[in-house]
Amino acid sequence: MIKHLLKGFLALTILIAASACGSETPEPDQKTPEQLAIEELADDGSATWTVAQGGSVTKDGANQTDLFNGFSITFNASGQSRTYSSSNGQGIFDASGNWSLAGSNLDRVILTGDQPASGEEIQFTRNQNNLRLSFSIPMPNARTNAVAGSYVFELTKE
């Protein structure tokens, strides 16, 4: 009789354990650090950042916002494709091109193109709907002394 009770208890325990395992919801796929960095710039595919609505631009610590008043940059990411477009880049940014993360530096982006910001590592930091881009244009890459310097773009999400 005790044998039958133990077998019944064991069967009940196995049944409870099996049903508990089946009710778990699977964990959503975890994003890689690279995917998270891409989302910082392009959200789920595209994000436009602008000086309008409270953004600012400084060069070597001096306010240059008036020169870049209409500046905006859009980062697009779809599959392996990474493109950008900008407006009112004032000879600093190309109108369009490709972008990539700077190797293992997942807080830096490199833009393609011919303008002075192209090919430079641009450090970015996102805080909700604000994006900060900071970079330096060295003398050898600058066409004139007026372009060379350290820039900080404080942008807001459009």
Side-chain angles (χ1 to χ4, degrees), residues 14-69:
I14 291 172
L15 182 63
I16 290 171
S19 67
C21 290
S23 66
E24 289 182 23
T25 57
E27 289 288 323
D29 290 336
Q30 296 293 323
K31 293 182 180 178
T32 66
E34 182 179 4
Q35 288 170 320
L36 294 172
I38 290 167
E39 284 182 6
E40 292 288 304
L41 294 170
D43 284 341
D44 288 330
S46 182
T48 299
W49 303 93
T50 182
V51 170
Q53 305 168 20
S56 66
V57 178
T58 59
K59 176 187 170 205
D60 297 327
N63 191 330
Q64 301 286 305
T65 305
D66 288 346
L67 296 175
F68 292 91
N69 199 20

Side-chain angles (χ1 to χ4, degrees), residues 30-114:
Q30 296 293 323
K31 293 182 180 178
T32 66
E34 182 179 4
Q35 288 170 320
L36 294 172
I38 290 167
E39 284 182 6
E40 292 288 304
L41 294 170
D43 284 341
D44 288 330
S46 182
T48 299
W49 303 93
T50 182
V51 170
Q53 305 168 20
S56 66
V57 178
T58 59
K59 176 187 170 205
D60 297 327
N63 191 330
Q64 301 286 305
T65 305
D66 288 346
L67 296 175
F68 292 91
N69 199 20
F71 176 77
S72 70
I73 188 164
T74 301
F75 291 98
N76 300 297
S78 176
Q80 296 300 313
S81 174
R82 310 273 182 271
T83 62
Y84 76 92
S85 59
S86 72
S87 62
N88 297 327
Q90 302 301 336
I92 304 292
F93 293 92
D94 285 88
S96 64
N98 296 312
W99 65 271
S100 61
L101 296 173
S104 61
N105 294 323
L106 299 179
D107 65 341
R108 298 173 192 270
V109 62
I110 298 175
L111 307 177
T112 63
D114 297 320

Side-chain angles (χ1 to χ4, degrees), residues 51 55-65 68 93 122-123 131-136 149-155:
V51 170
S56 66
V57 178
T58 59
K59 176 187 170 205
D60 297 327
N63 191 330
Q64 301 286 305
T65 305
F68 292 91
F93 293 92
I122 301 172
Q123 185 174 17
L131 181 69
R132 178 186 179 114
L133 303 177
S134 58
F135 58 97
S136 292
S150 295
Y151 290 84
V152 176
F153 283 71
E154 298 283 353
L155 307 172

